[in-house]
Amino acid sequence: MRLNLTADELLSTTRAVRKRLDFDRPVEPSVLKECLESAVQAPTGGNSQGWRFMVVTDADKKAAVAELYRNAWYDYYEPMDREPRSDKGRQLKRVMSSATYLADNFERVPVWVIPCMPGRLDNLPNLMAAGAYGSIHPATWSFMLAARDHGLGTSFTTLHLTYEQQAAEILGIPFADYTQCALVTVGYTVGTDFKPASRPPVETVTYWDTWGDEADFSNPA
Ligand SMILES: Cc1cc2nc3c(=O)[nH]c(=O)nc-3n(C[C@H](O)[C@H](O)[C@H](O)COP(=O)(O)O)c2cc1C
């Protein structure tokens, strides 16, 4: 089933879905394949196409990696669990609640997709790091957009990378030869209506010719 969202709807309503997931509904391999077919249409540096995608549904493997994820989450979360003082703080509090729910239920998410790149990307100079991550995350995001249009909810996560080597051993990913770049959780959503997120006006985060001055989009270019 496709939602056939418009491009604008797809781009503005593809949220991190953590609480509104149907843990009991399996995701058809054919649907994952279609989403991955969209993913590999994304650009890669020098058309290198080095991506590898590890799909994980095995319950034992998920249980073991979920433990690692939870350890990382609670190490990360506890220092941030303070009273919010601003709108951004309150938004953060909602994210934290949602992300805690995901952490507590990590292995219950039906599918994980782990985008990987060849080689170790640790300690690369910026040119190489930009090339490497820039050659996988456009595909990762295309996968997430395609998933949304299939009625699936995803969340881009990175925290299991705290224990990347242990996760690699559990999952059988050759750690010396491939870097895991994220872990995308995938499951059908409960309902399909999602809203655009609150974001700052783009003028406040965009500079035009002069760094530090808000962009003025009313001027003819
Ligand atoms: C680089 C990156 C790392 C992230 N890591 C995690 C993570 O480890 N766990 C998690 O629950 N969400 C993670 N997220 C999801 C963000 O929290 C989420 O995208 C953000 O709160 C905005 O929410 P939205 O996508 O619904 O707009 C990550 C997102 C990005 C881009």
Side-chain angles (χ1 to χ4, degrees):
M1 179 205 62
R2 297 296 292 254
L3 302 181
N4 289 320
L5 299 173
T6 65
D8 281 346
E9 286 167 342
L10 191 65
L11 290 168
S12 62
T13 66
T14 302
R15 301 263 70 78
V17 184
R18 306 183 183 95
K19 288 189 172 170
R20 284 176 54 193
L21 287 177
D22 185 344
F23 293 137
D24 300 320
R25 181 169 167 195
V27 180
E28 304 84 343
S30 59
V31 171
L32 290 170
K33 185 172 180 227
E34 283 185 40
C35 297
L36 287 164
E37 281 165 353
S38 295
V40 297
Q41 290 295 323
T44 53
N47 203 17
S48 52
Q49 303 179 30
W51 11 244
R52 294 288 182 275
F53 302 93
M54 181 82 189
V55 177
V56 184
T57 56
D58 180 274
D60 293 336
K61 290 181 180 175
K62 282 202 295 177
V65 175
E67 258 331 286
L68 300 177
Y69 183 91
R70 265 189 289 280
N71 287 341
W73 170 250
Y74 281 101
D75 281 350
Y76 167 78
Y77 171 71
E78 261 150 22
M80 297 179 75
D81 186 21
R82 298 192 197 96
E83 273 312 296
R85 289 190 182 80
S86 61
D87 280 355
K88 201 159 178 224
R90 277 182 280 278
Q91 196 178 37
L92 183 65
K93 192 88 179 168
R94 276 199 303 279
V95 173
M96 291 294 132
S97 154
S98 160
T100 301
Y101 179 83
L102 180 70
D104 289 344
N105 292 282
F106 210 66
E107 63 273 60
R108 297 179 67 200
V109 183
V111 180
W112 301 345
V113 174
I114 301 179
C116 300
M117 282 294 280
R120 293 300 320 159
L121 308 186
D122 323 73
N123 307 317
L124 287 179
N126 188 35
L127 174 67
M128 308 296 285
Y133 287 106
S135 295
I136 188 71
H137 288 327
T140 310
W141 182 236
S142 292
F143 172 83
M144 293 165 69
L145 292 170
R148 162 85 174 117
D149 199 56
H150 278 87
L152 295 164
T154 57
S155 184
F156 188 107
T157 78
T158 45
L159 275 172
H160 88 288
L161 299 177
T162 313
Y163 303 106
E164 185 194 348
Q165 191 158 6
Q166 290 98 311
E169 280 159 21
I170 294 163
L171 299 171
I173 297 171
F175 178 80
D177 300 328
Y178 279 89
T179 300
Q180 298 171 58
C181 300
L183 186 163
V184 180
T185 52
V186 188
Y188 279 102
T189 56
V190 178
T192 56
D193 59 311
F194 291 89
K195 294 189 174 55
S198 163
R199 295 285 192 258
V202 289
E203 292 83 349
T204 65
V205 293
T206 311
Y207 309 134
W208 196 312
D209 289 334
T210 307
W211 181 267
D213 290 351
E214 286 191 9
D216 180 353
F217 289 94
S218 64
N219 279 339

